[in-house]
């Protein structure tokens, strides 16, 4: 059974920092592209950052220079360090893992963790 379990969300003042962590189980973590998406009330889910199996990273323009994604294949975890947080970063943040194995696509989501940034 595949599980992605997020932790680290919470309430922080604007300008502050939070670190999100996602622990994966049930998958060969090292071969997956993993990352973070977020969904604010009334808005569609959007990409925040991803990191591939080769550690190539991708960031949304709105978080470049403020957020850093990293992965630890030994621990099956992917972290998101969020600095200089803004009220517009408020959202539910979801961990995601996706990969192609034997010509079949797989994708998994965590349950989400709330991040609230107060002004």
């Amino acid at each position: 059974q595949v599980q992605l379990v997020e932790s680290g969300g919470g309430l922080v003042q604007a300008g502050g920092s939070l670190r999100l962590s996602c622990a994966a189980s049930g998958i060969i973590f090292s071969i997956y592209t993993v990352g973070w998406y977020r969904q604010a009330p009334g808005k569609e889910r959007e990409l925040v950052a991803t990191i591939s199996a080769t550690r190539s990273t991708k960031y949304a323009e709105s978080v470049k220079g403020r957020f850093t994604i990293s992965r630890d294949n030994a621990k099956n975890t992917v972290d998101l360090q969020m600095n200089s947080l803004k009220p517009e970063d408020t959202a539910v943040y979801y961990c995601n893992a996706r990969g192609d194995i034997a010509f079949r696509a797989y994708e998994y989501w965590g349950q989400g963790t709330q991040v609230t940034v107060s002004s």
Side-chain angles (χ1 to χ4, degrees), residues 3-6 22 45 93-97 108-113:
Q3 283 191 310
L4 300 178
V5 180
E6 301 104 332
C22 173
R45 191 173 297 189
Y93 283 69
Y94 296 91
C95 181
N96 173 270
Y108 305 100
W109 292 92
Q111 82 286 355
T113 186

Side-chain angles (χ1 to χ4, degrees), residues 12-87:
V12 65
Q13 289 188 331
S17 299
L18 279 175
R19 188 176 183 89
L20 304 183
S21 186
C22 173
S25 60
I27 59 173
I28 306 173
F29 183 80
S30 61
I31 68 173
Y32 279 73
T33 290
V34 290
W36 294 89
Y37 291 70
R38 67 186 181 188
Q39 187 167 19
K43 295 187 177 181
E44 293 187 355
R45 191 173 297 189
E46 63 176 4
L47 179 146
V48 177
T50 61
I51 183 167
S52 72
T54 58
R55 299 183 183 273
S56 175
T57 58
K58 180 178 180 180
Y59 292 93
E61 284 295 327
S62 60
V63 307
K64 281 184 179 178
R66 299 189 298 123
F67 292 11
T68 302
I69 190 169
S70 60
R71 66 188 296 163
D72 186 333
N73 289 340
K75 296 180 179 179
N76 287 4
T77 57
V78 53
D79 290 351
L80 185 68
Q81 178 65 43
M82 305 186 294
N83 298 328
S84 302
L85 282 160
K86 304 175 181 180

